[in-house]
Amino acid sequence: MIKNSLKKLELKDKLLALIVPLLLLAAWQSAVSLELCSPLLLIPPLTLLDTLLYLADSGELTINIIASLNRVLVGFLIGGLSGFLLGLFMGLSPFLDRFAGPLIKASKQVPQFALMPLIILWFGVDELAKYVFIAIGAFYPMVFNTYQGVSTVSKRYRELARVFDYRGARFLTKVILPSAMPSIITGVRHSLGLSWMFVVGAEIFGADTGLGYMMAAARNMFQIDIVMAGLVVIGAIGFSINFILQVIEKRLLVWRFSSDQGASK
Amino acid sequence: MSIEKGTLQIRNLSKSFTVDGNALQVLNNINLTFPAGSFISIVGSSGCGKTTLLRILLGLETNYEGDALLDGERIEGPGTNRGIVFQDHRLLPWLTVGENVAFGLDKQNRKAKKKIVDEHLKLVGLSGFESAYPAQLSGGMAQRVAIARALANKPEILLLDEPLGALDALTRMHMQKELERLWLLEKITMVMVTHDVDEAIYLSDIVVIMSSRPGIIKQIIKVPFPRPRDRASSEFSHIKAEILKEFHLGTEYPFAYAI
Ligand SMILES: Nc1ncnc2c1ncn2[C@@H]1O[C@H](COP(=O)(O)OP(=O)(O)O)[C@@H](O)[C@H]1O
Ligand SMILES: [Mg+2]
């Protein structure tokens, strides 16, 4: 009963969530039909679809998507992993926390896009500079969330571990990490999300492949349709990454999502 | 000289904490001897040091004066010869019921582990729940799992810190029966902290009454009745009156506080 009405509610919510996009689409189409703005600045929805299909068909889209995803993967692995390790050690050691914590928090205040000129000076305009830039984006959410998760492991669980003589690696993998996992996964989600934003930023700055490059090049040639197609693809991929991670999260944290199925308290 | 396994001796035990630079005396000169295989309850008002005493016996508080001896050896840290059931069940939420029960069993192989887990879930009446998560259990069920986890290591003594405190009255009486059954079955020493005088009398061979600030032993009362005990019997109410008297809740001076 309750489950059914919950499902209905969810469906209703989903339908409601479609209203605004549909209205926007209608507004967009009428703006074009009524010739409210120049076709050079806004193309009709169907033309956009054509452009998308054309880009997909020509293989151009695939090449650029792969280039961007590649950079995200490398940058995320570097930044996410170092953020994870630093967050872990800071969470485990109050000394390291006092030592490195303030610097990391302070450096977070610098808008990361402002680092771009410096990164270019230091690392050039090649792939390395892009990896570094994306890694910086991936680093912060990972370090903070991991730290948060590890440093707030309940004293009650630490005591239990002591009672059962869990130490070293066993303590880390059986108590600390599982307890911190919800936070860590949140970190991964934000970290990957930012990596995806940063890759586009980096490619707009200067690249010869990637979705950001595709859009920047199209803008130079006033190909508004390709610019808009790029936006749609970037949004869709960002959305999909987040969706996939949410599915993984539900799988990994099944213990958190299972409370409603059993006996009541 | 050999001491039977599960014998607890507490000699001149004192414990103080440092709070804001001042020493707070929590336990003062405690002397107790618990024979192996007995069921002991410790009753006393909140803050009188019951949990601290259990934590010393468990080995979580190592900085104490005097001696707490298990089988003649001074307790200096946790060990698998002692099991604990905390007031909060303290199951790890990311592990299934079965994995929680197996939490203390690292040295065995998987098959041996599974056998022990099955046995102990059966013991506490939760066969078939091994793949449930703690969040899916009721309070009473979670506490049973916690008991199974503590017993799975085959401890010589089981320490219980208000294990039934969070349960409703009916579940609680049911669990008291279960605890008695387990105690008769396992033949180990059990030391239980409780607020509930009826519970203490129902289960214990010895009831230790503590009073607070600092925690001292006020009275040690033996309960010699056969089991299972009848809560409505006159001998039961007699002992109960004797214990309540220690808390100035006896019936002899019913108006003492009203005046
Ligand atoms: N780690 C600690 N640091 C300081 N004071 C403590 C600590 N643990 C317990 N106490 C104090 O010791 C006293 C006894 O606590 P406790 O043993 O938990 O009492 P009980 O279990 O009988 O309610 C309380 O006043 C409590 O505040
Ligand atoms: Mg207590």
Side-chain angles (χ1 to χ4, degrees), chain A residues 153 155-157 159-166 170 174-176 178-180 254-256 258-265, chain B residues 55 58-60 78-79 84 86 88-94 102-104 106-107 133-139 141 149 153:
Chain A
V153 174
K155 186 169 163 268
R156 295 158 50 243
Y157 299 150
E159 248 175 34
L160 190 75
R162 251 180 87 200
V163 168
F164 286 108
D165 198 31
Y166 275 59
R170 194 158 163 255
K174 301 287 177 186
V175 180
I176 296 289
S179 174
V254 83
W255 53 275
R256 282 193 128 197
S258 58
S259 56
D260 53 339
Q261 294 159 14
S264 58
K265 286 250 162 178
Chain B
R55 287 171 60 87
L58 186 61
L60 284 179
I84 174 78
F86 294 98
D88 57 310
H89 53 72
R90 221 171 278 205
L91 300 178
L92 297 173
W94 56 86
F103 191 67
D106 67 310
K107 276 116 202 165
Y133 282 96
Q136 297 171 295
L137 304 178
S138 69
M141 288 158 91
R149 175 177 66 188
N153 270 328

Short mmCIF file of all heavy atoms in Angstrom, two decimals, chain A residues 153 155-157 159-166 170 174-176 178-180 254-256 258-265, chain B residues 55 58-60 78-79 84 86 88-94 102-104 106-107 133-139 141 149 153:
data_model
loop_
_atom_site.label_atom_id
_atom_site.label_comp_id
_atom_site.label_asym_id
_atom_site.label_seq_id
_atom_site.Cartn_x
_atom_site.Cartn_y
_atom_site.Cartn_z
N VAL A 153 34.73 8.96 12.59
CA VAL A 153 34.37 7.58 12.94
C VAL A 153 34.08 7.53 14.44
O VAL A 153 34.88 7.99 15.25
CB VAL A 153 35.52 6.60 12.61
CG1 VAL A 153 35.19 5.21 13.12
CG2 VAL A 153 35.76 6.57 11.11
N LYS A 155 33.62 7.06 18.25
CA LYS A 155 34.47 6.51 19.31
C LYS A 155 33.94 5.14 19.73
O LYS A 155 34.71 4.26 20.13
CB LYS A 155 34.45 7.48 20.50
CG LYS A 155 35.39 7.13 21.61
CD LYS A 155 35.50 8.29 22.61
CE LYS A 155 36.09 7.80 23.90
NZ LYS A 155 35.08 7.36 24.89
N ARG A 156 32.65 4.96 19.62
CA ARG A 156 32.05 3.69 20.01
C ARG A 156 32.58 2.56 19.14
O ARG A 156 32.86 1.47 19.63
CB ARG A 156 30.53 3.78 19.89
CG ARG A 156 29.93 4.80 20.86
CD ARG A 156 28.57 5.31 20.43
NE ARG A 156 27.66 4.25 20.09
CZ ARG A 156 27.14 4.06 18.89
NH1 ARG A 156 27.44 4.89 17.91
NH2 ARG A 156 26.32 3.08 18.65
N TYR A 157 32.75 2.82 17.85
CA TYR A 157 33.26 1.78 16.95
C TYR A 157 34.76 1.56 17.18
O TYR A 157 35.26 0.45 17.08
CB TYR A 157 33.00 2.13 15.49
CG TYR A 157 31.52 2.26 15.17
CD1 TYR A 157 31.08 3.13 14.18
CD2 TYR A 157 30.57 1.52 15.86
CE1 TYR A 157 29.74 3.25 13.88
CE2 TYR A 157 29.24 1.64 15.58
CZ TYR A 157 28.81 2.50 14.59
OH TYR A 157 27.49 2.63 14.32
N GLU A 159 36.25 1.83 19.98
CA GLU A 159 36.35 1.04 21.20
C GLU A 159 36.07 -0.43 20.92
O GLU A 159 36.77 -1.31 21.42
CB GLU A 159 35.32 1.55 22.21
CG GLU A 159 35.94 2.21 23.39
CD GLU A 159 34.88 2.80 24.29
OE1 GLU A 159 33.78 2.21 24.41
OE2 GLU A 159 35.14 3.85 24.86
N LEU A 160 35.04 -0.65 20.12
CA LEU A 160 34.69 -2.03 19.76
C LEU A 160 35.87 -2.70 19.08
O LEU A 160 36.20 -3.85 19.34
CB LEU A 160 33.48 -2.01 18.82
CG LEU A 160 32.86 -3.38 18.57
CD1 LEU A 160 32.06 -3.80 19.78
CD2 LEU A 160 32.00 -3.35 17.34
N ALA A 161 36.53 -1.95 18.19
CA ALA A 161 37.70 -2.49 17.50
C ALA A 161 38.80 -2.84 18.50
O ALA A 161 39.47 -3.85 18.37
CB ALA A 161 38.21 -1.47 16.48
N ARG A 162 38.94 -2.00 19.51
CA ARG A 162 39.95 -2.29 20.54
C ARG A 162 39.61 -3.56 21.30
O ARG A 162 40.47 -4.39 21.59
CB ARG A 162 40.04 -1.12 21.52
CG ARG A 162 41.31 -0.31 21.39
CD ARG A 162 41.32 0.82 22.38
NE ARG A 162 41.86 0.42 23.67
CZ ARG A 162 41.64 1.10 24.81
NH1 ARG A 162 40.86 2.16 24.79
NH2 ARG A 162 42.18 0.70 25.92
N VAL A 163 38.33 -3.69 21.63
CA VAL A 163 37.90 -4.88 22.37
C VAL A 163 38.23 -6.14 21.58
O VAL A 163 38.67 -7.14 22.14
CB VAL A 163 36.39 -4.81 22.68
CG1 VAL A 163 35.88 -6.15 23.18
CG2 VAL A 163 36.10 -3.71 23.70
N PHE A 164 38.02 -6.09 20.27
CA PHE A 164 38.26 -7.27 19.45
C PHE A 164 39.65 -7.27 18.82
O PHE A 164 39.92 -8.03 17.89
CB PHE A 164 37.19 -7.40 18.36
CG PHE A 164 35.86 -7.85 18.91
CD1 PHE A 164 34.80 -6.97 19.00
CD2 PHE A 164 35.69 -9.14 19.36
CE1 PHE A 164 33.58 -7.38 19.51
CE2 PHE A 164 34.48 -9.57 19.88
CZ PHE A 164 33.42 -8.67 19.95
N ASP A 165 40.50 -6.38 19.32
CA ASP A 165 41.91 -6.37 18.93
C ASP A 165 42.11 -6.17 17.43
O ASP A 165 42.89 -6.86 16.79
CB ASP A 165 42.59 -7.68 19.39
CG ASP A 165 44.10 -7.55 19.41
OD1 ASP A 165 44.58 -6.42 19.66
OD2 ASP A 165 44.79 -8.55 19.17
N TYR A 166 41.39 -5.21 16.86
CA TYR A 166 41.61 -4.83 15.46
C TYR A 166 42.66 -3.74 15.44
O TYR A 166 42.49 -2.70 16.08
CB TYR A 166 40.32 -4.30 14.83
CG TYR A 166 39.43 -5.37 14.28
CD1 TYR A 166 38.92 -6.36 15.10
CD2 TYR A 166 39.08 -5.39 12.94
CE1 TYR A 166 38.09 -7.35 14.62
CE2 TYR A 166 38.25 -6.38 12.43
CZ TYR A 166 37.76 -7.35 13.28
OH TYR A 166 36.94 -8.33 12.78
N ARG A 170 44.05 -4.00 9.38
CA ARG A 170 42.76 -4.62 9.61
C ARG A 170 41.77 -3.61 10.19
O ARG A 170 40.60 -3.55 9.78
CB ARG A 170 42.96 -5.79 10.58
CG ARG A 170 41.81 -6.73 10.67
CD ARG A 170 42.27 -8.08 11.19
NE ARG A 170 41.14 -8.84 11.65
CZ ARG A 170 40.84 -9.03 12.93
NH1 ARG A 170 41.62 -8.52 13.88
NH2 ARG A 170 39.79 -9.73 13.27
N LYS A 174 38.55 -2.65 8.00
CA LYS A 174 37.30 -3.23 8.51
C LYS A 174 36.47 -2.24 9.32
O LYS A 174 35.30 -2.48 9.56
CB LYS A 174 37.61 -4.46 9.38
CG LYS A 174 38.36 -5.56 8.67
CD LYS A 174 37.48 -6.29 7.70
CE LYS A 174 38.28 -7.33 6.96
NZ LYS A 174 37.53 -7.98 5.91
N VAL A 175 37.10 -1.19 9.81
CA VAL A 175 36.34 -0.25 10.64
C VAL A 175 36.36 1.17 10.07
O VAL A 175 35.31 1.74 9.78
CB VAL A 175 36.87 -0.26 12.10
CG1 VAL A 175 36.08 0.73 12.96
CG2 VAL A 175 36.78 -1.66 12.70
N ILE A 176 37.56 1.71 9.89
CA ILE A 176 37.66 3.12 9.49
C ILE A 176 37.05 3.35 8.10
O ILE A 176 36.16 4.19 7.93
CB ILE A 176 39.13 3.59 9.50
CG1 ILE A 176 39.69 3.53 10.92
CG2 ILE A 176 39.25 4.99 8.94
CD1 ILE A 176 39.15 4.57 11.85
N PRO A 178 35.04 1.46 6.04
CA PRO A 178 33.59 1.26 5.87
C PRO A 178 32.78 2.36 6.54
O PRO A 178 31.77 2.81 6.00
CB PRO A 178 33.33 -0.08 6.55
CG PRO A 178 34.63 -0.76 6.64
CD PRO A 178 35.69 0.30 6.67
N SER A 179 33.23 2.78 7.71
CA SER A 179 32.49 3.81 8.42
C SER A 179 32.55 5.14 7.66
O SER A 179 31.59 5.91 7.64
CB SER A 179 33.07 3.96 9.82
OG SER A 179 32.47 5.03 10.49
N ALA A 180 33.69 5.40 7.01
CA ALA A 180 33.87 6.66 6.29
C ALA A 180 33.31 6.59 4.87
O ALA A 180 33.26 7.60 4.17
CB ALA A 180 35.35 7.04 6.26
N VAL A 254 24.47 -0.47 0.69
CA VAL A 254 23.18 -1.14 0.77
C VAL A 254 22.68 -1.14 2.22
O VAL A 254 21.49 -1.03 2.48
CB VAL A 254 23.30 -2.55 0.15
CG1 VAL A 254 23.84 -3.54 1.12
CG2 VAL A 254 22.00 -3.00 -0.42
N TRP A 255 23.61 -1.18 3.15
CA TRP A 255 23.23 -1.20 4.57
C TRP A 255 22.53 0.08 5.00
O TRP A 255 21.77 0.11 5.95
CB TRP A 255 24.45 -1.44 5.45
CG TRP A 255 25.61 -0.52 5.21
CD1 TRP A 255 26.58 -0.66 4.27
CD2 TRP A 255 25.92 0.69 5.90
NE1 TRP A 255 27.49 0.37 4.34
CE2 TRP A 255 27.11 1.21 5.34
CE3 TRP A 255 25.32 1.38 6.96
CZ2 TRP A 255 27.70 2.40 5.78
CZ3 TRP A 255 25.92 2.55 7.39
CH2 TRP A 255 27.09 3.05 6.82
N ARG A 256 22.79 1.18 4.28
CA ARG A 256 22.15 2.43 4.63
C ARG A 256 20.76 2.54 4.06
O ARG A 256 19.91 3.25 4.57
CB ARG A 256 22.95 3.59 4.06
CG ARG A 256 24.17 3.93 4.84
CD ARG A 256 24.67 5.25 4.36
NE ARG A 256 24.86 6.14 5.47
CZ ARG A 256 24.98 7.44 5.34
NH1 ARG A 256 24.86 8.00 4.15
NH2 ARG A 256 25.18 8.20 6.36
N SER A 258 18.69 0.04 3.45
CA SER A 258 17.86 -1.13 3.64
C SER A 258 16.97 -1.03 4.88
O SER A 258 16.26 -1.95 5.20
CB SER A 258 18.74 -2.37 3.76
OG SER A 258 19.63 -2.21 4.82
N SER A 259 17.02 0.10 5.58
CA SER A 259 16.36 0.16 6.88
C SER A 259 14.83 0.08 6.78
O SER A 259 14.18 -0.32 7.71
CB SER A 259 16.76 1.43 7.61
OG SER A 259 16.46 2.53 6.83
N ASP A 260 14.27 0.46 5.64
CA ASP A 260 12.82 0.52 5.57
C ASP A 260 12.18 -0.83 5.25
O ASP A 260 10.98 -0.97 5.29
CB ASP A 260 12.37 1.56 4.53
CG ASP A 260 13.04 1.32 3.19
OD1 ASP A 260 14.08 0.66 3.18
OD2 ASP A 260 12.50 1.77 2.17
N GLN A 261 13.00 -1.83 4.93
CA GLN A 261 12.43 -3.10 4.53
C GLN A 261 12.16 -4.04 5.71
O GLN A 261 11.40 -4.98 5.60
CB GLN A 261 13.36 -3.83 3.56
CG GLN A 261 13.50 -3.09 2.25
CD GLN A 261 14.75 -3.50 1.54
OE1 GLN A 261 15.37 -4.49 1.88
NE2 GLN A 261 15.14 -2.73 0.55
N GLY A 262 12.84 -3.79 6.83
CA GLY A 262 12.79 -4.76 7.91
C GLY A 262 11.79 -4.41 8.99
O GLY A 262 10.89 -3.59 8.80
N ALA A 263 11.95 -5.08 10.13
CA ALA A 263 11.08 -4.84 11.26
C ALA A 263 11.24 -3.40 11.73
O ALA A 263 12.30 -2.82 11.60
CB ALA A 263 11.44 -5.79 12.39
N SER A 264 10.18 -2.86 12.28
CA SER A 264 10.29 -1.49 12.78
C SER A 264 10.99 -1.50 14.12
O SER A 264 11.05 -2.51 14.80
CB SER A 264 8.90 -0.88 12.91
OG SER A 264 8.16 -1.69 13.78
N LYS A 265 11.51 -0.35 14.49
CA LYS A 265 12.27 -0.26 15.75
C LYS A 265 11.35 -0.38 16.95
O LYS A 265 10.31 0.22 16.97
CB LYS A 265 12.98 1.10 15.80
CG LYS A 265 14.16 1.13 14.87
CD LYS A 265 15.45 1.15 15.66
CE LYS A 265 16.59 0.74 14.78
NZ LYS A 265 17.87 0.74 15.33
N ARG B 55 34.25 -1.22 32.46
CA ARG B 55 35.30 -0.89 31.49
C ARG B 55 36.69 -1.28 32.00
O ARG B 55 37.55 -1.66 31.22
CB ARG B 55 35.26 0.61 31.13
CG ARG B 55 34.07 0.98 30.25
CD ARG B 55 33.94 2.50 30.10
NE ARG B 55 35.13 3.08 29.50
CZ ARG B 55 35.33 3.18 28.19
NH1 ARG B 55 34.41 2.77 27.36
NH2 ARG B 55 36.43 3.71 27.72
N LEU B 58 36.82 -4.93 31.48
CA LEU B 58 36.96 -5.21 30.05
C LEU B 58 38.37 -4.91 29.56
O LEU B 58 38.85 -5.49 28.59
CB LEU B 58 35.95 -4.35 29.28
CG LEU B 58 35.81 -4.57 27.79
CD1 LEU B 58 35.37 -5.99 27.51
CD2 LEU B 58 34.81 -3.60 27.20
N GLY B 59 39.04 -3.98 30.25
CA GLY B 59 40.40 -3.63 29.85
C GLY B 59 40.47 -2.35 29.05
O GLY B 59 41.51 -2.02 28.49
N LEU B 60 39.35 -1.60 28.99
CA LEU B 60 39.37 -0.34 28.25
C LEU B 60 39.91 0.81 29.12
O LEU B 60 40.37 1.81 28.60
CB LEU B 60 37.97 0.01 27.73
CG LEU B 60 37.50 -0.78 26.51
CD1 LEU B 60 36.08 -0.35 26.11
CD2 LEU B 60 38.45 -0.62 25.33
N PRO B 78 42.18 -5.18 26.84
CA PRO B 78 41.12 -6.07 26.38
C PRO B 78 41.67 -7.46 26.04
O PRO B 78 42.86 -7.62 25.78
CB PRO B 78 40.61 -5.40 25.10
CG PRO B 78 41.12 -4.00 25.15
CD PRO B 78 42.39 -4.05 25.94
N GLY B 79 40.82 -8.44 26.07
CA GLY B 79 41.24 -9.78 25.71
C GLY B 79 40.02 -10.61 25.34
O GLY B 79 38.91 -10.29 25.76
N ILE B 84 31.72 -8.46 25.87
CA ILE B 84 30.99 -7.29 26.36
C ILE B 84 29.72 -7.09 25.53
O ILE B 84 29.72 -7.26 24.32
CB ILE B 84 31.87 -6.02 26.27
CG1 ILE B 84 31.09 -4.73 26.63
CG2 ILE B 84 32.46 -5.85 24.87
CD1 ILE B 84 30.87 -4.50 28.08
N PHE B 86 27.40 -3.90 25.18
CA PHE B 86 27.24 -2.50 25.57
C PHE B 86 25.75 -2.17 25.66
O PHE B 86 24.90 -2.90 25.15
CB PHE B 86 27.88 -1.58 24.52
CG PHE B 86 29.37 -1.69 24.44
CD1 PHE B 86 29.95 -2.47 23.45
CD2 PHE B 86 30.18 -1.01 25.32
CE1 PHE B 86 31.33 -2.57 23.34
CE2 PHE B 86 31.57 -1.11 25.22
CZ PHE B 86 32.15 -1.88 24.24
N ASP B 88 24.19 0.39 24.22
CA ASP B 88 23.78 0.50 22.82
C ASP B 88 24.32 -0.77 22.19
O ASP B 88 25.43 -1.17 22.49
CB ASP B 88 24.41 1.73 22.17
CG ASP B 88 25.92 1.72 22.25
OD1 ASP B 88 26.43 1.51 23.35
OD2 ASP B 88 26.60 1.88 21.23
N HIS B 89 23.57 -1.39 21.31
CA HIS B 89 24.00 -2.72 20.86
C HIS B 89 25.37 -2.67 20.17
O HIS B 89 26.11 -3.61 20.18
CB HIS B 89 22.95 -3.32 19.92
CG HIS B 89 22.57 -2.43 18.80
ND1 HIS B 89 23.43 -2.19 17.75
CD2 HIS B 89 21.46 -1.70 18.56
CE1 HIS B 89 22.84 -1.36 16.91
NE2 HIS B 89 21.65 -1.04 17.37
N ARG B 90 25.70 -1.52 19.61
CA ARG B 90 26.99 -1.30 19.00
C ARG B 90 27.33 -2.32 17.91
O ARG B 90 28.47 -2.79 17.80
CB ARG B 90 28.09 -1.29 20.05
CG ARG B 90 29.11 -0.19 19.76
CD ARG B 90 30.08 0.01 20.89
NE ARG B 90 29.54 0.84 21.95
CZ ARG B 90 30.30 1.54 22.79
NH1 ARG B 90 31.59 1.51 22.70
NH2 ARG B 90 29.74 2.27 23.73
N LEU B 91 26.32 -2.67 17.14
CA LEU B 91 26.59 -3.48 15.95
C LEU B 91 27.13 -2.55 14.89
O LEU B 91 26.76 -1.38 14.84
CB LEU B 91 25.30 -4.15 15.46
CG LEU B 91 24.62 -5.07 16.47
CD1 LEU B 91 23.33 -5.63 15.88
CD2 LEU B 91 25.55 -6.20 16.88
N LEU B 92 27.99 -3.06 14.02
CA LEU B 92 28.51 -2.23 12.95
C LEU B 92 27.48 -2.21 11.82
O LEU B 92 27.12 -3.26 11.28
CB LEU B 92 29.85 -2.78 12.45
CG LEU B 92 30.92 -2.76 13.55
CD1 LEU B 92 32.19 -3.45 13.09
CD2 LEU B 92 31.23 -1.33 13.98
N PRO B 93 26.97 -1.02 11.49
CA PRO B 93 25.82 -0.94 10.57
C PRO B 93 26.14 -1.43 9.15
O PRO B 93 25.23 -1.79 8.42
CB PRO B 93 25.46 0.55 10.56
CG PRO B 93 26.67 1.25 11.06
CD PRO B 93 27.38 0.30 11.98
N TRP B 94 27.43 -1.43 8.78
CA TRP B 94 27.78 -1.83 7.41
C TRP B 94 27.99 -3.33 7.29
O TRP B 94 28.24 -3.84 6.20
CB TRP B 94 29.02 -1.08 6.92
CG TRP B 94 30.21 -1.24 7.81
CD1 TRP B 94 31.12 -2.25 7.79
CD2 TRP B 94 30.63 -0.37 8.86
NE1 TRP B 94 32.06 -2.07 8.76
CE2 TRP B 94 31.79 -0.92 9.44
CE3 TRP B 94 30.11 0.84 9.38
CZ2 TRP B 94 32.45 -0.30 10.50
CZ3 TRP B 94 30.78 1.43 10.43
CH2 TRP B 94 31.93 0.87 10.98
N ALA B 102 30.49 -12.58 13.55
CA ALA B 102 31.83 -13.12 13.24
C ALA B 102 32.93 -12.09 13.49
O ALA B 102 34.11 -12.41 13.31
CB ALA B 102 31.87 -13.59 11.80
N PHE B 103 32.56 -10.89 13.89
CA PHE B 103 33.54 -9.79 13.95
C PHE B 103 34.77 -10.11 14.79
O PHE B 103 35.88 -9.69 14.47
CB PHE B 103 32.86 -8.53 14.49
CG PHE B 103 33.68 -7.28 14.34
CD1 PHE B 103 33.95 -6.76 13.09
CD2 PHE B 103 34.19 -6.63 15.46
CE1 PHE B 103 34.71 -5.61 12.95
CE2 PHE B 103 34.95 -5.47 15.32
CZ PHE B 103 35.21 -4.97 14.06
N GLY B 104 34.58 -10.87 15.85
CA GLY B 104 35.73 -11.17 16.71
C GLY B 104 36.46 -12.45 16.34
O GLY B 104 37.41 -12.84 17.00
N ASP B 106 38.61 -13.66 13.85
CA ASP B 106 39.40 -13.52 12.62
C ASP B 106 40.30 -14.71 12.33
O ASP B 106 40.63 -14.99 11.20
CB ASP B 106 40.24 -12.25 12.69
CG ASP B 106 41.28 -12.37 13.76
OD1 ASP B 106 40.92 -12.74 14.89
OD2 ASP B 106 42.46 -12.12 13.49
N LYS B 107 40.68 -15.41 13.38
CA LYS B 107 41.75 -16.40 13.16
C LYS B 107 41.26 -17.71 12.54
O LYS B 107 42.05 -18.48 12.03
CB LYS B 107 42.51 -16.67 14.47
CG LYS B 107 43.61 -15.63 14.71
CD LYS B 107 43.35 -14.80 15.95
CE LYS B 107 44.11 -13.48 15.85
NZ LYS B 107 43.62 -12.50 16.82
N TYR B 133 20.62 -6.53 7.79
CA TYR B 133 21.49 -5.48 8.32
C TYR B 133 20.93 -4.97 9.64
O TYR B 133 19.71 -5.02 9.85
CB TYR B 133 21.61 -4.34 7.31
CG TYR B 133 22.56 -4.68 6.19
CD1 TYR B 133 22.08 -5.18 4.98
CD2 TYR B 133 23.93 -4.55 6.35
CE1 TYR B 133 22.96 -5.53 3.96
CE2 TYR B 133 24.81 -4.88 5.35
CZ TYR B 133 24.32 -5.37 4.16
OH TYR B 133 25.19 -5.72 3.17
N PRO B 134 21.82 -4.48 10.53
CA PRO B 134 21.36 -4.02 11.84
C PRO B 134 20.20 -3.03 11.77
O PRO B 134 19.30 -3.07 12.61
CB PRO B 134 22.60 -3.36 12.43
CG PRO B 134 23.73 -4.11 11.83
CD PRO B 134 23.28 -4.44 10.43
N ALA B 135 20.19 -2.16 10.75
CA ALA B 135 19.13 -1.17 10.65
C ALA B 135 17.76 -1.82 10.44
O ALA B 135 16.74 -1.18 10.63
CB ALA B 135 19.42 -0.20 9.51
N GLN B 136 17.76 -3.08 10.06
CA GLN B 136 16.49 -3.77 9.82
C GLN B 136 15.96 -4.47 11.06
O GLN B 136 14.89 -5.05 11.02
CB GLN B 136 16.66 -4.80 8.69
CG GLN B 136 17.04 -4.19 7.36
CD GLN B 136 17.41 -5.25 6.34
OE1 GLN B 136 18.40 -5.95 6.51
NE2 GLN B 136 16.61 -5.37 5.30
N LEU B 137 16.74 -4.44 12.15
CA LEU B 137 16.35 -5.19 13.34
C LEU B 137 15.63 -4.31 14.36
O LEU B 137 15.85 -3.11 14.41
CB LEU B 137 17.60 -5.78 14.01
CG LEU B 137 18.49 -6.67 13.16
CD1 LEU B 137 19.70 -7.11 13.98
CD2 LEU B 137 17.73 -7.86 12.62
N SER B 138 14.81 -4.95 15.19
CA SER B 138 14.23 -4.24 16.32
C SER B 138 15.29 -4.17 17.42
O SER B 138 16.30 -4.85 17.37
CB SER B 138 13.01 -5.00 16.82
OG SER B 138 13.42 -6.21 17.40
N GLY B 139 15.01 -3.35 18.44
CA GLY B 139 15.97 -3.18 19.53
C GLY B 139 16.33 -4.49 20.21
O GLY B 139 17.49 -4.78 20.48
N MET B 141 16.10 -7.55 18.98
CA MET B 141 16.86 -8.41 18.08
C MET B 141 18.31 -7.96 18.01
O MET B 141 19.24 -8.78 18.03
CB MET B 141 16.24 -8.39 16.68
CG MET B 141 14.92 -9.13 16.56
SD MET B 141 14.01 -8.53 15.13
CE MET B 141 14.59 -9.63 13.89
N ARG B 149 27.42 -12.05 19.37
CA ARG B 149 28.78 -11.63 19.03
C ARG B 149 29.72 -11.79 20.22
O ARG B 149 30.86 -12.25 20.06
CB ARG B 149 28.76 -10.16 18.57
CG ARG B 149 30.15 -9.59 18.31
CD ARG B 149 30.09 -8.17 17.80
NE ARG B 149 29.56 -7.25 18.80
CZ ARG B 149 29.25 -5.98 18.57
NH1 ARG B 149 29.40 -5.47 17.36
NH2 ARG B 149 28.77 -5.21 19.52
N ASN B 153 33.08 -15.67 20.86
CA ASN B 153 34.49 -15.84 21.19
C ASN B 153 34.73 -16.78 22.35
O ASN B 153 35.86 -16.94 22.79
CB ASN B 153 35.12 -14.48 21.54
CG ASN B 153 35.67 -13.80 20.32
OD1 ASN B 153 36.13 -14.46 19.40
ND2 ASN B 153 35.61 -12.49 20.31
#
